[in-house]
């Protein structure tokens, strides 16, 4: 098959299409989210079995705040249910769990569940599972820059500095960004970390996304040629940065 999947470490997913999926079946949008939340567990399981290092899921964006309050509350409840339902499995499979974004408006009990699971899995070495909740990438970047300025007044910020001040410092780059539901947008998701990501858009709406389709997409990645702006497909991003630095210094001498 000639697949080279060694470089596929971090996959990020925009889980879109719940509302439309439910609407097509004359159900409420909320029903779509409920079905959608069931899918999350099977996709996490597949990511783990496939041997991914990291899976990041967009569960609630800063923009989602403008949805009807009933819908917002259901999404909060689904997060709580997920945490209760999956806690044991996450621990058993040594998954390192994190939530990034603004969770300040979540009910106290849910915030505590998140805190406990983050604490209990912080040294785990399995899949890094991150939920983006109340998350927006522009805000993440602005927050990072502001934090840096506060700690280093007068100093110019570098790429490394910003990497150190993201919600998860030094979060690994996204290799593959998948969006379900048919739209072809990034919607303020991991703008910094996905700078070099391969993009995959599937028309499948999230509630009918299967482990099989997920695996096929992961395998499709092995057929892509990633050049990071260079000429050699086999070059990694780091190799390509080093080559650029070498070229520049040779030109100067
Ligand atoms: C987009 O669908 C999806 C969301 C706004 C939330 C994603 C949430 C889940 C998959 C369920 C929550 C799960 C957990 C574990 C918290 P949409 O409603 O925008 O779909 P549409 O584009 O068809 O309207």
């Amino acid at each position: 098959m000639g697949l080279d999947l060694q470089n596929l470490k971090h996959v990020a997913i925009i889980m879109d299409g719940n509302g439309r999926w439910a609407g097509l079946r004359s159900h409420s949008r909320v029903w779509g989210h409920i079905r959608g939340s069931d899918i999350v567990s099977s996709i996490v399981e597949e990511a783990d079995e496939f041997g991914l290092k990291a899976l990041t899921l967009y569960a609630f964006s800063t923009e989602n705040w403008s949805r009807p309050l009933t819908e917002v509350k259901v999404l909060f409840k689904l997060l709580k249910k997920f945490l209760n339902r999956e806690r044991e499995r996450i621990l058993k499979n040594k998954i390192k769990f994190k939530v990034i974004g603004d969770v300040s408006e979540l009910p106290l009990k849910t915030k505590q569940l998140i805190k406990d699971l983050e604490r209990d899995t912080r040294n785990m070495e399995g899949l890094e599972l991150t939920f983006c909740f109340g998350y927006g990438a522009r805000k993440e970047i602005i927050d990072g820059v502001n934090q840096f300025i506060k700690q280093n007044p007068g100093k110019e910020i570098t790429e490394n500095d910003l990497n150190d001040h993201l919600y998860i410092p030094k979060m690994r780059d996204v290799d593959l960004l998948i969006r379900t539901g048919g739209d072809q947008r990034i919607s303020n998701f991991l703008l910094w970390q996905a700078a070099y990501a391969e993009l995959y858009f599937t028309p499948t709406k999230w509630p009918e996304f299967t482990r099989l389709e997920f695996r096929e997409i992961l395998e499709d990645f092995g057929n892509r040629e990633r050049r990071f702006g260079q000429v050699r497909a086999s070059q990694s991003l780091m190799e390509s940065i080093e080559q650029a630095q070498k070229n520049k210094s040779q030109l100067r001498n």
Side-chain angles (χ1 to χ4, degrees):
M1 275 195 294
L3 299 178
D4 174 17
L5 296 171
Q6 274 159 297
N7 292 321
L8 180 54
K9 297 203 166 69
H10 184 184
V11 174
I13 309 183
I14 302 175
M15 308 179 288
D16 196 20
N18 293 345
R20 278 166 291 155
W21 180 85
L24 284 169
R25 286 155 183 81
S26 312
H27 281 289
S28 68
R29 300 179 49 78
V30 159
W31 194 65
H33 293 315
I34 295 170
R35 284 296 290 261
S37 71
D38 293 337
I39 305 299
V40 175
S41 312
S42 65
I43 296 304
V44 171
E45 213 171 81
E46 181 62 33
D48 198 19
E49 280 177 24
F50 188 84
L52 288 182
K53 200 58 205 127
L55 177 70
T56 305
L57 301 174
Y58 208 1
F60 188 85
S61 70
T62 43
E63 292 76 19
N64 289 153
W65 271 112
S66 56
R67 297 194 171 198
L69 189 59
T70 44
E71 188 174 335
V72 170
K73 282 188 175 166
V74 166
L75 287 166
F76 284 6
K77 274 199 188 135
L78 289 172
L79 176 63
K80 183 177 173 202
K81 262 180 113 171
F82 177 89
L83 294 166
N84 279 320
R85 190 178 68 222
E86 296 297 323
R87 184 184 154 83
E88 282 316 308
R89 201 155 26 153
I90 286 177
L91 291 171
K92 186 172 142 255
N93 292 326
K94 306 207 172 339
I95 290 174
K96 182 172 181 172
F97 181 79
K98 279 289 285 171
V99 175
I100 56 173
D102 181 4
V103 294
S104 57
E105 302 299 328
L106 283 176
L108 253 175
K109 182 85 184 58
T110 313
K111 281 195 272 195
Q112 194 56 49
L113 285 169
I114 294 174
K115 237 177 157 177
D116 291 348
L117 196 51
E118 286 184 339
R119 184 201 54 222
D120 296 342
T121 64
R122 72 168 180 256
N123 295 320
M124 298 294 193
E125 295 197 336
L127 177 74
E128 292 157 15
L129 173 62
T130 305
F131 272 31
C132 296
F133 209 93
Y135 172 88
R138 286 186 173 180
K139 183 160 180 345
E140 178 181 27
I141 293 168
I142 298 285
D143 285 351
V145 171
N146 282 331
Q147 198 188 60
F148 175 83
I149 292 171
K150 218 186 246 173
Q151 294 168 357
N152 303 276
K155 198 174 158 225
E156 226 172 77
I157 189 164
T158 65
E159 278 197 26
N160 278 341
D161 293 330
L162 186 51
N163 271 327
D164 288 340
H165 289 82
L166 295 173
Y167 291 155
I168 295 184
K170 296 192 176 62
M171 186 186 223
R172 63 180 77 239
D173 271 356
V174 175
D175 300 303
L176 175 63
L177 172 57
I178 301 170
R179 181 179 188 134
T180 63
D183 288 333
Q184 304 197 354
R185 286 191 289 275
I186 304 202
S187 301
N188 202 14
F189 185 41
L190 301 176
L191 296 179
W192 181 265
Q193 300 88 336
Y196 291 96
E198 291 291 319
L199 306 179
Y200 194 106
F201 301 101
T202 169
T204 308
K205 295 175 184 64
W206 180 254
E208 53 195 11
F209 192 59
T210 60
R211 284 180 72 144
L212 179 65
E213 182 174 0
F214 183 41
R215 179 165 280 259
E216 282 169 358
I217 294 172
L218 298 182
E219 285 174 354
D220 173 81
F221 176 91
N223 297 320
R224 300 229 183 165
E225 197 185 64
R226 299 180 87 198
R227 293 195 301 272
F228 304 110
Q230 305 299 312
V231 287
R232 214 156 39 84
S234 58
Q235 218 167 16
S236 71
L237 180 55
M238 271 325 288
E239 282 171 335
S240 131
I241 290 169
E242 279 161 19
Q243 181 68 51
Q245 279 163 351
K246 237 189 262 166
N247 286 348
K248 276 194 216 157
S249 77
Q250 274 180 13
L251 271 178
R252 271 186 231 116
N253 294 328

